[in-house]
Amino acid sequence: LRKILSMAMASCLFLVLVSLARTGALSSASSPVRFWTSGTCPFAQRVWCALEESGVDYELKLVDLKQKSAEFAAKYDEANPGGRPKVPLLEVGDLTLTESLPVTEFVAEKYAPAELLPSTPERRAVARLMVEVAPFGYYFEILKRRNDAADLADAVSELARKLVAFDKFLAKHQPKDGPFLEGRRFTFADAAVAPFATRACVLLRHFVDLDLLEICQLRNAPRTKAYLEALLRRQSVLKTGVQEDKLIENTKDVLVRLDEAARKAAEDAAAAAAAGK
């Protein structure tokens, strides 16, 4: 009986260890995780969301992208030798990774595959496709055209078309209950889309008085609307996001620089044309 009990306990222990290994609990304990971000970059926020969703312990390292430390530059060179140091950067033991999409999916697969990774190759492919076709990054094109009424109207019309097209994508690939691509499950793909969706909602409302949820309502895009609403209230998205006032100020600075560059380009073109005459 003692031998049978011993074998049973050993079997249970083996199953527990296998389960821990699959969820990443063992590997995270033996391999410290360090995540480098500026705190404001939407690409880095993709990884940050996935880390928060996974529940893995990690060390947060903030980077000043205007004055990058020698330590950060050296770590980046480990991942991408000769590349221009940028965030996100993730260290797991001796492994160093960069570029937001592969790192986001790596976090999902290593630390929370049952939650963050769709269960089949087909569904994972659809998830990657959703990241590619999601329309929310188009917000910046609208901001760049905000000073020309005709250009702005064209850009807004194009955004509305994209929101409706995305609704059709969700209708084809999303379970009926929604709101995420995998129904109620938030996956790495949602983590990848969320930073741009939230920025689009805040910045379009502030700079051009455009409400994405209202457009979805008016254009009959209910799935896109429900998806946006779910992202906007997701705790990991809120925790890793940028405060609205800071986001607006940062964007103002970027737009001022873009406006100045556009003016100078126009002046140079006019001068060149005058000289040619």
Side-chain angles (χ1 to χ4, degrees):
L1 179 60
R2 188 178 301 155
K3 186 175 181 180
I4 293 173
L5 288 173
S6 177
M7 290 175 64
M9 289 177 66
S11 178
C12 288
L13 177 60
F14 173 76
L15 291 174
V16 170
L17 290 173
V18 169
S19 177
L20 288 172
R22 285 177 176 171
T23 59
L26 288 182
S27 58
S28 64
S30 60
S31 300
V33 178
R34 291 210 300 175
F35 170 58
W36 300 73
T37 178
S38 64
T40 59
C41 173
F43 296 97
Q45 191 189 352
R46 289 171 157 175
V47 180
W48 201 354
C49 279
L51 286 168
E52 282 294 315
E53 291 283 344
S54 75
V56 68
D57 290 331
Y58 63 93
E59 178 187 355
L60 183 66
K61 299 281 287 184
L62 289 177
V63 181
D64 183 347
L65 294 177
K66 294 180 180 178
Q67 295 181 318
K68 299 166 189 171
S69 69
E71 181 189 12
F72 172 67
K75 286 296 179 183
Y76 186 90
D77 204 54
E78 292 179 14
N80 183 22
R84 180 176 61 85
K86 59 184 179 180
V87 293
L89 188 70
L90 187 74
E91 297 177 73
V92 180
D94 295 331
L95 176 67
T96 308
L97 297 170
T98 189
E99 297 298 337
S100 64
L101 291 178
V103 180
T104 301
E105 192 167 348
F106 167 82
V107 169
E109 185 172 4
K110 185 171 180 64
Y111 298 114
E115 293 79 20
L116 295 179
L117 204 64
S119 57
T120 67
E122 292 80 6
R123 292 302 296 175
R124 291 193 288 275
V126 171
R128 296 182 191 107
L129 177 59
M130 185 186 78
V131 176
E132 294 296 323
V133 304
F136 308 112
Y138 190 73
Y139 77 88
F140 203 75
E141 188 64 32
I142 292 178
L143 297 184
K144 289 193 296 184
R145 300 188 190 187
R146 72 196 186 287
N147 295 324
D148 186 299
D151 276 356
L152 177 60
D154 288 344
V156 171
S157 178
E158 176 62 10
L159 175 63
R161 186 196 67 78
K162 288 176 178 289
L163 292 171
V164 172
F166 188 64
D167 199 83
K168 293 176 181 177
F169 176 90
L170 292 176
K172 179 174 178 61
H173 295 292
Q174 185 186 58
K176 290 182 179 179
D177 59 346
F180 302 114
L181 180 65
E182 292 295 306
R184 299 188 183 280
R185 259 178 65 199
F186 185 97
T187 69
F188 78 89
D190 304 303
V193 171
F196 298 91
T198 54
R199 281 163 174 77
C201 288
V202 171
L203 297 174
L204 291 178
R205 184 174 64 244
H206 178 83
F207 286 100
V208 294
D209 195 25
L210 195 64
D211 188 325
L212 285 193
L213 296 176
E214 186 176 298
I215 292 176
C216 291
Q217 183 74 32
L218 292 173
R219 293 301 185 99
N220 193 27
R223 287 179 179 264
T224 303
K225 182 174 182 287
Y227 183 64
L228 271 173
E229 289 171 336
L231 292 179
L232 290 170
R233 62 175 176 261
R234 189 75 180 185
Q235 189 58 39
S236 64
V237 178
L238 294 171
K239 182 175 179 179
T240 61
V242 185
Q243 290 183 344
E244 283 197 17
D245 56 349
K246 185 175 183 181
L247 179 60
I248 290 166
E249 282 304 311
N250 289 348
T251 305
K252 279 181 182 176
D253 292 341
V254 172
L255 293 175
V256 166
R257 292 198 298 272
L258 286 175
D259 289 346
E260 290 174 352
R263 276 195 296 271
K264 188 171 188 314
E267 290 171 359
D268 291 345
K277 291 180 180 178

